């Protein structure tokens, strides 16, 4: 029987080695990027990409389908048909080995006659965790693992964190003026900080996440909709999440008014107005009681773990300065996207981030600068938490 070729151990920062070829890396990169297309649609399962290659040609490819099933591997095998026999399959995440609502993908790969499987990242799910690789190897398939592992882990980080930490990945988005403010003073109107290009970029980011999260202050000040407004993607309806310890959300807010068509959950403390809870539930709002701190603010980790428990893998936080700073302070912001306009506010306002959070964000031992460019006239910087 052939052996599993492990190109590197989990967490090793070296480039992949062993039996992986440059062509393997090229196909794996395409597989990972293809898998990203379904982000935001596949929870509670990860968004996986799979490509079947025979004689140097792609003969089948698949994405995890909306709702998480069927899995990418079975979609790719169906597309390849008989051409799968003797071919190589590239998969961004280790194929599953357990029987759930569907049979194991590793078994389907074996049954299709695939000769060689190249995977990006291992699946930490205890029902898989190397079993998929071993199952295929014991059937005589050559298995090469950990090809472009870091890229594959990043693409599937929401799933990995939900399994390992019980919470989803959190992308924090913030917008600030040139002098560092996210809002004006108490009696100022809402600031329109970023331009059309940045706003469109945010809409696409919303579409690639399972849930959109804000704090109660953002709801009171901005009365947002938190919907995906991109032509062709109007069917994307991420779960809308409000962190509202005191249950201050207005029953007349746009979020509540649209809760019948766009799901909304409000996290609040245990000792809130029961009549208001009943009124909001009558409007279609889900009320989730959770732990709060001494000031009555929702415990972020508890709320995120509750979301993870219901299958959410990716959360897009637009929660404003307080929530944003807290996510960074508590090590819960995995990716931070900061848009900075060219114009200053030139007066007192609300800082986009606390001094502590900004210091952590620019600390190279805590966050890695991943991107620095423009979205129209606005500067867009992305940091990723070092894992």
């Amino acid at each position: 029987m052939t052996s599993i070729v492990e190109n590197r151990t989990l967490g090793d920062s070296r480039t992949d080695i062993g039996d992986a070829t440059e062509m393997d890396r090229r196909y794996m990169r395409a597989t990972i990027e293809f898998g990203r297309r379904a982000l935001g649609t596949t929870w509670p399962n990860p968004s996986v990409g799979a490509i079947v290659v025979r004689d140097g040609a792609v003969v089948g490819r698949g994405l995890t389908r909306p709702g998480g099933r069927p899995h990418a591997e079975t979609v790719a095998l169906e597309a390849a048909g008989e051409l799968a026999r003797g071919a190589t399959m590239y998969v961004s995440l280790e194929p599953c080995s357990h029987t759930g609502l569907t049979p194991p993908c590793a078994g389907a790969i074996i049954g299709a006659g695939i000769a060689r499987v190249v995977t990006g990242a291992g699946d930490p799910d205890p029902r898989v965790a190397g079993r998929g690789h071993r199952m295929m190897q014991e059937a005589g398939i050559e298995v090469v693992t950990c090809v472009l592992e870091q890229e594959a882990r990043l693409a599937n980080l929401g799933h990995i964190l939900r399994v390992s930490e019980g919470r989803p990945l959190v992308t924090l988005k913030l917008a600030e003026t040139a002098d560092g403010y996210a809002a004006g003073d108490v009696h100022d109107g809402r600031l329109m900080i970023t331009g059309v290009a940045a706003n469109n970029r945010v809409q696409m980011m919303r579409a690639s996440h399972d849930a959109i999260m804000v704090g109660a202050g953002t709801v009171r000040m901005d009365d947002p909709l938190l919907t995906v407004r991109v032509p062709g993607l109007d069917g994307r309806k991420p779960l809308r999440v409000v962190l509202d310890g005191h249950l201050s959300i207005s029953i007349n807010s746009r979020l509540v008014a649209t809760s019948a068509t766009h799901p909304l959950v409000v996290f609040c403390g245990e000792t809130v107005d029961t009549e208001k809870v009943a009124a909001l539930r009558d409007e279609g709002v889900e009320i989730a009681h959770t732990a709060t701190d001494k000031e009555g603010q929702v415990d972020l980790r508890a709320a995120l773990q509750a979301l993870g428990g219901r299958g959410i893998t990716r959360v897009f936080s637009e929660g404003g300065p307080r929530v944003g700073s807290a996510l960074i302070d508590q090590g819960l912001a995995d990716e931070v996207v900061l848009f900075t306009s060219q114009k200053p506010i030139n007066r007192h306002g609300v800082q986009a981030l606390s001094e502590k959070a900004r210091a952590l964000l620019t600390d190279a031992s805590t966050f890695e600068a991943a991107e620095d460019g423009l979205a129209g006239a606005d500067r867009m910087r992305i940091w990723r938490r070092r894992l």
Side-chain angles (χ1 to χ4, degrees):
M1 291 186 180
T2 55
S3 61
I4 296 178
V5 179
E6 296 204 16
N7 290 311
R8 56 187 169 127
T9 58
L10 199 64
D12 190 342
S13 61
R14 294 176 299 157
T15 56
D16 40 66
I17 58 175
D19 284 358
T21 66
E22 180 57 34
M23 189 61 70
D24 286 333
R25 287 184 276 276
R26 289 175 61 186
Y27 279 123
M28 181 54 67
R29 183 165 287 109
T31 301
I32 293 168
E33 290 306 312
F34 186 54
R36 289 180 181 275
R37 293 188 183 185
L39 287 173
T41 68
T42 65
W43 67 280
N45 290 337
S47 176
V48 176
I51 292 178
V52 180
V53 177
R54 180 169 176 170
D55 298 327
V58 174
V59 296
R61 62 178 187 168
L63 286 173
T64 307
R65 292 290 173 83
R69 296 179 184 83
H71 293 181
E73 297 94 323
T74 55
V75 176
L77 290 172
E78 183 179 353
E82 284 301 311
L83 293 176
R85 192 162 300 278
T88 295
M89 172 174 274
Y90 296 87
V91 191
S92 58
L93 189 70
E94 177 184 2
C96 64
S97 56
H98 62 286
T99 299
L101 296 179
T102 56
C105 290
I109 291 168
I110 294 167
I114 291 286
R116 184 170 181 263
V117 173
V118 181
T119 65
D123 189 342
D125 187 323
R127 298 171 299 176
V128 186
R131 293 182 180 88
H133 289 148
R134 287 193 296 274
M135 184 176 174
M136 294 183 294
Q137 180 264 330
E138 289 170 358
I141 296 174
E142 179 186 355
V143 179
V144 182
T145 70
C146 303
V147 177
L148 300 185
E149 183 188 22
Q150 292 297 86
E151 290 90 335
R153 279 176 56 81
L154 182 62
N156 293 285
L157 188 56
H159 168 72
I160 291 170
L161 287 173
R162 192 172 79 87
V163 170
S164 61
E165 298 186 19
R167 69 167 182 88
L169 168 144
V170 176
T171 300
L172 169 63
K173 188 276 295 185
L174 294 165
E176 65 177 1
T177 60
D179 44 359
Y181 293 103
D185 215 338
V186 178
H187 301 294
D188 286 352
R190 181 182 177 185
L191 287 181
M192 302 303 291
I193 296 175
T194 51
V196 173
N199 294 342
N200 288 340
R201 187 72 178 262
V202 169
Q203 290 293 322
M204 293 302 295
M205 290 177 182
R206 286 181 177 180
S208 68
H209 288 74
D210 310 336
I212 304 170
M213 183 174 75
V214 296
T218 297
V219 175
R220 288 193 300 271
M221 292 179 63
D222 298 342
D223 192 21
L225 272 174
L226 304 182
T227 55
V228 176
R229 298 185 292 278
V230 178
L233 294 181
D234 45 358
R236 299 278 179 101
K237 295 183 179 181
L239 177 67
R240 301 176 301 171
V241 179
V242 178
L243 306 173
D244 189 358
H246 301 288
L247 201 61
S248 62
I249 187 171
S250 170
I251 201 164
N252 297 315
S253 68
R254 296 201 295 170
L255 286 171
V256 174
T258 54
S259 60
T261 56
H262 293 74
L264 172 66
V265 58
V266 178
F267 283 95
C268 62
E270 295 286 351
T271 57
V272 292
D273 186 340
T274 56
E275 290 186 4
K276 188 167 186 181
V277 169
L280 288 168
R281 284 176 172 160
D282 285 344
E283 295 296 322
V285 179
E286 179 183 348
I287 302 297
H289 298 286
T290 191
T292 55
D293 61 22
K294 61 183 180 181
E295 296 177 351
Q297 302 293 343
V298 168
D299 183 299
L300 289 174
R301 187 174 294 275
L304 289 172
Q305 289 181 333
L307 291 173
R310 63 192 293 162
I312 297 293
T313 64
R314 293 169 55 84
V315 171
F316 190 58
S317 176
E318 301 184 58
R322 189 193 65 79
V323 171
S325 295
L327 287 169
I328 293 173
D329 291 349
Q330 296 176 33
L332 297 172
D334 303 295
E335 185 171 87
V336 179
V337 183
L338 179 62
F339 292 97
T340 305
S341 72
Q342 294 185 3
K343 297 180 180 179
I345 190 174
N346 286 327
R347 62 182 185 278
H348 181 72
V350 179
Q351 291 284 341
L353 283 172
S354 67
E355 290 185 12
K356 179 183 177 183
R358 198 176 288 272
L360 286 170
L361 186 60
T362 55
D363 183 346
S365 67
T366 306
F367 283 91
E368 175 185 13
E371 188 174 338
D372 189 347
L374 292 174
D378 302 306
R379 185 181 183 186
M380 185 185 76
R381 286 169 287 176
I382 299 177
W383 290 267
R384 295 194 179 102
R385 183 172 62 88
R386 291 193 181 275
L387 302 176

